[in-house]
């Protein structure tokens, strides 16, 4: 194959690959929390734009934590409201952050990144979500949690 034909073949393959890809991540956003302490009364709110197609979506909660976090786990209350129907859902998410030896289960060096599956949800075109997250720990103020986020991915 001559160089011109090879170049055309590579360009054609790249174009076909790019047009065949489907964007699966619909929403991904993190909110900062005061590293000195996230209060249990501080709700982090995420509002998603209306989805453009019907389908099943996977919701994940993301955390970024540093070594100042004093516990092996974290319990989160996640409240969701489906718009425009107004349907309400509340979940308790228990996050295991450290193994029994004290080794972080997340990825990173000074800050550790975690992702926890919340649920799969069926949405129709035009539906939107409002999600509120707060911690449910006995200590009112939790140090070491830098960011909390939510990701919505199309699974179909």
């Amino acid at each position: 194959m001559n160089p011109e034909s090879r170049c055309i073949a590579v360009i054609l393959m790249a174009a076909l690959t790019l047009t065949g890809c489907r964007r699966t991540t619909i929403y991904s956003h993190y909110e900062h929390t005061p590293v000195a302490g996230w209060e249990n009364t501080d709700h982090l709110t995420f509002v998603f734009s209306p989805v453009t197609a019907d389908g099943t979506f996977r919701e994940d909660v993301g955390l970024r934590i540093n070594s100042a976090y004093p516990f092996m786990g974290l319990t989160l209350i996640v409240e969701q409201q489906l718009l425009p129907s107004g349907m309400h859902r509340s979940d308790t998410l228990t996050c295991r952050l450290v193994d029994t030896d004290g080794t972080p289960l997340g990825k990173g060096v000074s800050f550790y990144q975690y992702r926890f599956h919340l649920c799969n949800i069926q949405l129709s075109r035009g539906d939107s979500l409002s999600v509120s997250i707060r911690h449910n720990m006995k200590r009112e103020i939790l140090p070491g949690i830098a960011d909390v986020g939510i990701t919505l991915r199309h699974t179909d």
Side-chain angles (χ1 to χ4, degrees):
M1 184 181 274
N2 67 34
E4 288 177 17
S5 298
R6 186 175 298 157
C7 183
I8 290 171
V10 168
I11 291 172
L12 187 58
M13 294 267 300
L16 288 173
T17 302
L18 291 175
T19 57
C21 292
R22 181 174 154 193
R23 183 177 164 212
T24 59
T25 300
I26 305 302
Y27 180 88
S28 183
H29 181 74
Y30 280 79
E31 287 290 328
H32 300 294
T33 60
V35 176
W38 179 27
E39 293 188 40
N40 61 358
T41 57
D42 289 344
H43 293 247
L44 302 173
T45 302
F46 305 87
V47 179
F48 302 16
S49 297
V51 295
T52 58
D54 297 348
T56 303
F57 296 83
R58 176 188 171 100
E59 284 184 83
D60 292 320
V61 172
L63 300 171
R64 293 184 187 125
I65 295 175
N66 69 20
S67 60
Y69 186 73
F71 301 109
M72 295 177 71
L74 173 66
T75 302
L76 300 172
I77 303 297
V78 183
E79 296 179 6
Q80 302 182 70
Q81 184 172 13
L82 181 62
L83 304 171
S85 74
M87 182 199 77
H88 186 266
R89 175 185 175 143
S90 183
D91 293 293
T92 301
L93 184 62
T94 303
C95 308
R96 186 170 171 217
L97 306 173
V98 179
D99 68 14
T100 54
D101 296 329
T103 305
L105 297 171
K107 296 178 181 172
V109 178
S110 60
F111 279 85
Y112 299 96
Q113 175 82 32
Y114 298 86
R115 180 179 300 165
F116 299 96
H117 179 64
L118 178 63
C119 67
N120 287 345
I121 188 167
Q122 187 70 33
L123 298 175
S124 299
R125 185 172 192 240
D127 284 349
S128 180
L129 283 173
S130 175
V131 179
S132 175
I133 300 175
R134 65 180 172 84
H135 76 79
N136 189 30
M137 301 292 284
K138 289 183 180 182
R139 186 185 249 185
E140 288 184 24
I141 299 175
L142 293 179
I145 299 174
D147 302 289
V148 178
I150 194 111
T151 301
L152 185 69
R153 289 188 175 86
H154 212 266
T155 62
D156 295 337

